[in-house]
Amino acid sequence: MTESVETMMRPVLEVSDLHVRFPASRNWLGRPTSHVHAVNGVNLTVRAGKSLGIVGESGCGKSTLAQAIIGLAPYEEGRVKIDGEDFQGAQGKQKRALRQKMQIVFQDPQSSLDRRLPVWRLISEPLHIRGGRSRAELHEKAEELAVAVGLRPEHLDRLPHEFSGGQRQRIAIARAISTDPELMVLDEPTSALDVSVQAQIINLLLKLQRERGLTYLLISHDVALVRHFCDDVAVMYLGQIVESGPADEVLRNPRHPYTQTLLAAAPSFESPLPDIAQVRAGELPNNRHLPDGCFYKQRCDRISGGCEAGQVLRRLSDSARHVRCHLAQA
Amino acid sequence: MMTTGTAEPRGQALAINNLSLEFPTFSGAVKALDDVSISVGKAEIVGIVGESGCGKSVTTMAATGLLPKGRYRVTGGTVRLFGHSTLSMDDSQLQDLRGKVVSTIFQEPMNALNPTIRIGRQLTDVIMRHEEVGPADARRIARDILADMLIGEPERVMNLYPFELSGGMRQRVLIAMAFSCNPGLIIADEPTTALDVTVQAVILRLIQNRARRTGTAVIFISHNVAVVSQLCDRLYVMYAGRIVEHGATRTVLETPQHPYTQALLRCLPERVAPKQELEAIPGAVPNLLQPPSGCYFQPRCKEAVEQCRSQTPQLTGADGQQVACWRRGVAVELPEQGGRR
Ligand SMILES: Nc1ncnc2c1ncn2[C@@H]1O[C@H](COP(=O)(O)OP(=O)(O)O)[C@@H](O)[C@H]1O
Ligand SMILES: Nc1ncnc2c1ncn2[C@@H]1O[C@H](COP(=O)(O)OP(=O)(O)O)[C@@H](O)[C@H]1O
Ligand code: SF4
Ligand code: SF4
Ligand SMILES: [Mg+2]
Ligand SMILES: [Mg+2]
């Protein structure tokens, strides 16, 4: 995805050929004998100040990809560059500096926030870890961040359980922006919230992006939300991107059979329930033994000669999007 | 068993009338339902929508006797389920109704299945409890109904334990179980909330197809208005334990009247241009230990007038669409409360 238009803006995140697997069983020496193949060759680029959405059904590797990007899941193959620098390969001071440039917000702020710490400590903790600030300075900074995310400064001494789910997500966001990151990874940030509160949080994230030029990677199962929030979208299936490109284009006129299925199934005010045959529901194939050929083969209704070969993500000649299917590429 | 009581309007599966209910707690009574009326015709698919905690589950659980005994108080109203007054029935009478007359599907199918018993046995047990059939016939019925739910190898699945199935499969087994005794009413309480959209779409279709074919009435509870719009003939919008609007699905969604319904639709990203600000609803649902006086939506409502603070609006309007709001329907003709906001 490094076309001339795209290089006009500096990429903040570049992922190339990323593979992440987890040991699934071990022999008596403790060596892994089989693996769960969670991410199987992902390439993506997110430009400064833009948002990339990742969609796909549960278990397809979205969270693992997010964790690998921010350094929480080690990988053996591929590369993740933040601001042009290799994070996993970095050492010492450089690594710490890179770590400050990216933050993550999870779905459930309840479990990601230490229940015993008052809100001002939670918000300023990443700055505290960075060091060099007095308690008074940290408190002052926390106040500033609280206001930026729409929390009341007089609530800073409360504990997280005294807040509603939406307010706790504001706390998580304040904490994430405390180090002035370039990249924010948002893993289903509003999935546990009611829609009226989701709207508040989405508005806040968009406002912070406008004000601070933040770059977002949004993981979501909500196609309508991704269409609203993101410039680009990548659709994942079994640890691979099967289609990517400008969000409105891909989501309006999907070209990969899986994206078409996903969109036909998404709840909609405009269309009636799809026919069962149209949805091609099925389970994700086992990710301990990856299938040969196209990963989507078992569920695809368009299967034809050529699908036995492994498919590559390739740019379509007539559009700005990439698709991993020989039929769409033809 | 399914004979209809004499006073019952024809074609009615469930009639909840003016039901009020509270949960006594240490800090006082949680007023979970206030004057809730819902009616479901035979063979009708009816949705209940609203954000979490607004009383969707409590309404249907109260109507089917599923709330924990001794933990709640009915402070008013009646329920008629195919002519049975469920509020005054004892446990064994209710047990008889469940499965045969009404069946509920919940969000988390794992809790509703016994983890130590194979799927087939659980299905045939339910069937044999309610139908006069022997084990062989029960097994055949079970197999057919699993096939109906698009479960590929019903025989194999019947020999599995619940944990050996994916979430989507378990949910389909539960729907099969719910339909297995041909109940007159199925209550589906957020049955697809934890599932992927592809599996969700299939399950909605299966429920719809089977309900239409067998004439089963369905109450579909969801916080997802788009899903309800695709499945339901009519819908009820709940807010803080009250019905604020109901009517034909198309009418309510295309011309919502109540300020809460309007706000609920406007805060969705579906209908807004990319990156534009969504119309969030300020504030949060009121605490039902001390609900505000008057209209419960008043603290968050842009249109509130003085009257909203002191008096509770009642549902008004024709049957096609009713709204509980002082500034809608007949009440709109009240003189503007000049500058009293
Ligand atoms: N720590 C882990 N150990 C083993 N397997 C894992 C681990 N984390 C994720 N997986 C597996 O990797 C696959 C992708 O999971 P995940 O990234 O969580 O998917 P998603 O976020 O898209 O739902 C799944 O099969 C999951 O079971
Ligand atoms: N056993 C209980 N004790 C006290 N309050 C309860 C109990 N069950 C439900 N409630 C309260 O009743 C209200 C309605 O809950 P519920 O019907 O579960 O909402 P919904 O299904 O719409 O999300 C909520 O405020 C909830 O906290
Ligand atoms: S390569 Fe073949 S199996 Fe794969 S998505 Fe395309 S048509 Fe379907
Ligand atoms: S009654 Fe008043 S406060 Fe309630 S919804 Fe109508 S206008 Fe708003
Ligand atoms: Mg995930
Ligand atoms: Mg509920």
Side-chain angles (χ1 to χ4, degrees):
Chain A
M1 279 198 233
T2 39
E3 304 302 322
S4 57
V5 232
E6 292 169 12
T7 48
M8 282 162 57
M9 251 177 292
R10 173 179 57 98
V12 164
L13 172 66
E14 288 169 279
V15 175
S16 39
D17 197 31
L18 184 69
H19 293 252
V20 187
R21 55 182 200 174
F22 302 101
S25 58
R26 294 175 190 274
N27 66 11
W28 59 279
L29 283 170
R31 295 215 179 90
T33 51
S34 68
H35 289 92
V36 170
H37 299 273
V39 174
N40 304 307
V42 163
N43 292 284
L44 56 85
T45 303
V46 195
R47 293 160 285 148
K50 297 286 176 185
S51 302
L52 173 69
I54 309 271
V55 296
E57 60 206 285
S58 52
C60 73
K62 304 181 297 294
S63 294
T64 304
L65 172 64
Q67 307 260 322
I69 287 170
I70 63 159
L72 289 176
Y75 49 91
E76 290 156 31
E77 210 182 320
R79 196 195 297 273
V80 174
K81 282 189 187 174
I82 307 295
D83 240 353
E85 293 183 85
D86 179 356
F87 178 68
Q88 188 167 267
Q91 301 279 319
K93 214 171 140 192
Q94 188 206 8
K95 184 150 200 155
R96 280 196 299 277
L98 280 178
R99 178 164 286 144
Q100 307 269 328
K101 289 189 179 181
M102 50 186 169
Q103 294 286 346
I104 187 164
V105 174
F106 296 101
Q107 170 176 340
D108 181 10
Q110 184 111 45
S111 56
S112 60
L113 298 173
D114 188 332
R115 285 177 302 143
R116 295 156 305 179
L117 292 182
V119 167
W120 76 267
R121 285 278 308 275
L122 288 171
I123 293 179
S124 60
E125 203 179 22
L127 291 174
H128 177 66
I129 293 168
R130 187 194 270 182
R133 280 177 210 249
S134 71
R135 197 182 158 89
E137 281 167 340
L138 288 174
H139 199 286
E140 193 180 318
K141 188 75 189 160
E143 210 171 302
E144 195 183 294
L145 290 162
V147 171
V149 299
L151 289 167
R152 296 235 200 98
E154 59 266 33
H155 290 170
L156 280 174
D157 293 321
R158 296 192 180 177
L159 295 170
H161 74 259
E162 297 176 62
F163 293 85
S164 67
Q167 285 172 316
R168 278 199 294 266
Q169 205 55 300
R170 287 180 196 270
I171 295 169
I173 293 169
R175 175 191 163 94
I177 60 173
S178 68
T179 59
D180 234 333
E182 306 228 1
L183 174 70
M184 293 251 283
V185 176
L186 310 164
D187 191 350
E188 305 266 7
T190 59
S191 299
L193 304 175
D194 275 316
V195 287
S196 67
V197 181
Q198 162 172 290
Q200 297 170 8
I201 298 298
I202 291 303
N203 285 345
L204 170 64
L205 289 167
L206 287 172
K207 179 179 83 112
L208 291 173
Q209 183 170 45
R210 285 193 301 271
E211 290 171 358
R212 296 164 181 251
L214 286 167
T215 306
Y216 288 140
L217 186 76
L218 172 73
I219 291 171
S220 176
H221 63 269
D222 185 343
V223 175
L225 181 62
V226 168
R227 186 186 283 130
H228 179 73
F229 192 84
C230 298
D231 303 281
D232 296 302
V233 64
V235 182
M236 272 182 88
Y237 188 80
L238 199 60
Q240 294 185 328
I241 293 175
V242 296
E243 180 160 4
S244 65
D248 64 331
E249 208 183 305
V250 171
L251 300 177
R252 199 166 10 87
N253 176 24
R255 301 282 287 270
H256 191 281
Y258 176 63
T259 320
Q260 292 170 346
T261 289
L262 203 61
L263 283 161
S268 152
F269 288 99
E270 269 73 50
S271 51
L273 274 178
D275 288 333
I276 286 169
Q278 211 181 333
V279 173
R280 313 289 307 172
E283 315 286 315
L284 278 173
N286 187 331
N287 59 6
R288 286 211 205 177
H289 308 282
L290 294 175
D292 293 327
C294 173
F295 282 10
Y296 190 56
K297 220 167 39 189
Q298 284 112 311
R299 277 168 71 177
C300 189
D301 59 345
R302 306 257 292 282
I303 190 157
S304 60
C307 303
E308 318 77 41
Q311 301 295 309
V312 284
L313 189 65
R314 194 173 288 146
R315 183 174 182 146
L316 301 187
S317 53
D318 60 343
S319 101
R321 95 180 64 182
H322 292 65
V323 180
R324 191 188 290 274
C325 168
H326 67 98
L327 282 188
Q329 291 159 358
Chain B
M1 172 63 70
M2 299 230 344
T3 46
T4 305
T6 42
E8 211 54 33
R10 285 185 81 79
Q12 200 80 317
L14 174 69
I16 299 174
N17 287 310
N18 311 101
L19 183 64
S20 296
L21 181 149
E22 56 190 36
F23 294 99
T25 68
F26 283 123
S27 3
V30 176
K31 298 185 184 60
L33 301 183
D34 181 39
D35 207 16
V36 169
S37 296
I38 285 179
S39 76
V40 182
K42 287 180 185 162
E44 200 183 17
I45 303 184
V46 170
I48 307 181
V49 294
E51 298 179 286
S52 52
C54 67
K56 305 182 295 296
S57 298
V58 168
T59 299
T60 51
M61 287 172 85
T64 52
L66 283 173
L67 288 176
K69 284 266 148 6
R71 301 273 302 280
Y72 67 99
R73 236 179 354 239
V74 172
T75 54
T78 58
V79 173
R80 305 281 288 170
L81 176 64
F82 288 102
H84 305 278
S85 300
T86 52
L87 291 181
S88 53
M89 290 170 89
D90 64 27
D91 276 346
S92 78
Q93 290 172 307
L94 289 168
Q95 192 60 43
D96 281 344
L97 290 187
R98 278 187 220 124
K100 184 80 192 157
V101 171
V102 60
S103 221
T104 305
I105 308 160
F106 291 103
Q107 176 175 340
E108 189 21 82
M110 203 56 197
N111 302 336
L113 290 166
N114 186 328
T116 64
I117 301 179
R118 293 179 205 272
I119 299 293
R121 179 66 204 291
Q122 300 198 46
L123 266 168
T124 51
D125 279 356
V126 171
I127 294 166
M128 279 162 36
R129 192 156 61 229
H130 294 286
E131 313 268 344
E132 308 272 300
V133 294
D137 280 337
R139 235 186 133 73
R140 186 184 46 73
I141 296 174
R143 199 184 324 112
D144 289 351
I145 212 156
L146 285 178
D148 234 28
M149 290 295 129
L150 295 185
I151 289 176
E153 305 161 82
E155 282 292 350
R156 189 180 68 82
V157 169
M158 282 166 72
N159 283 320
L160 298 178
Y161 290 95
F163 72 87
E164 296 178 274
L165 301 178
S166 67
M169 281 281 252
R170 277 200 295 267
Q171 196 57 289
R172 275 185 271 166
V173 166
L174 272 193
I175 297 169
M177 209 174 266
F179 276 109
S180 65
C181 299
N182 295 311
L185 173 67
I186 296 252
I187 296 169
D189 190 345
E190 310 256 9
T192 56
T193 298
L195 303 174
D196 282 312
V197 291
T198 49
V199 182
Q200 165 169 284
V202 168
I203 285 178
L204 297 177
R205 262 289 184 192
L206 290 171
I207 291 178
Q208 189 182 51
N209 290 351
R210 197 165 159 98
R212 295 273 187 251
R213 205 174 59 201
T214 56
T216 311
V218 176
I219 296 182
F220 189 85
I221 297 178
S222 180
H223 65 275
N224 188 326
V225 196
V227 167
V228 168
S229 81
Q230 290 178 305
L231 184 68
C232 300
D233 308 318
R234 276 195 310 120
L235 66 81
Y236 289 82
V237 182
M238 283 191 86
Y239 185 74
R242 288 175 177 165
I243 306 287
V244 296
E245 179 160 7
H246 70 95
T249 305
R250 288 258 321 254
T251 315
V252 173
L253 296 183
E254 280 169 19
T255 52
Q257 294 291 314
H258 195 281
Y260 176 64
T261 316
Q262 295 175 338
L264 195 61
L265 291 169
R266 275 203 298 256
C267 67
L268 297 174
E270 269 89 342
R271 298 170 175 192
V272 180
K275 309 226 179 200
Q276 292 309 296
E277 196 166 333
L278 301 171
E279 283 193 50
I281 310 175
V285 179
N287 180 347
L288 294 177
L289 275 170
Q290 282 135 2
S293 59
C295 173
Y296 285 175
F297 191 54
Q298 167 261 315
R300 305 173 79 181
C301 183
K302 286 191 293 196
E303 300 182 54
V305 290
E306 195 57 38
Q307 186 182 16
C308 308
R309 236 175 302 245
S310 52
Q311 287 172 272
T312 305
Q314 303 296 315
L315 284 165
T316 56
D319 267 1
Q321 186 174 21
Q322 289 204 312
V323 191
C325 170
W326 289 122
R327 309 208 49 191
R328 296 293 188 275
V330 195
V332 172
E333 275 137 48
L334 283 173
E336 262 306 293
Q337 317 255 319
R340 285 218 275 156
R341 268 210 63 175

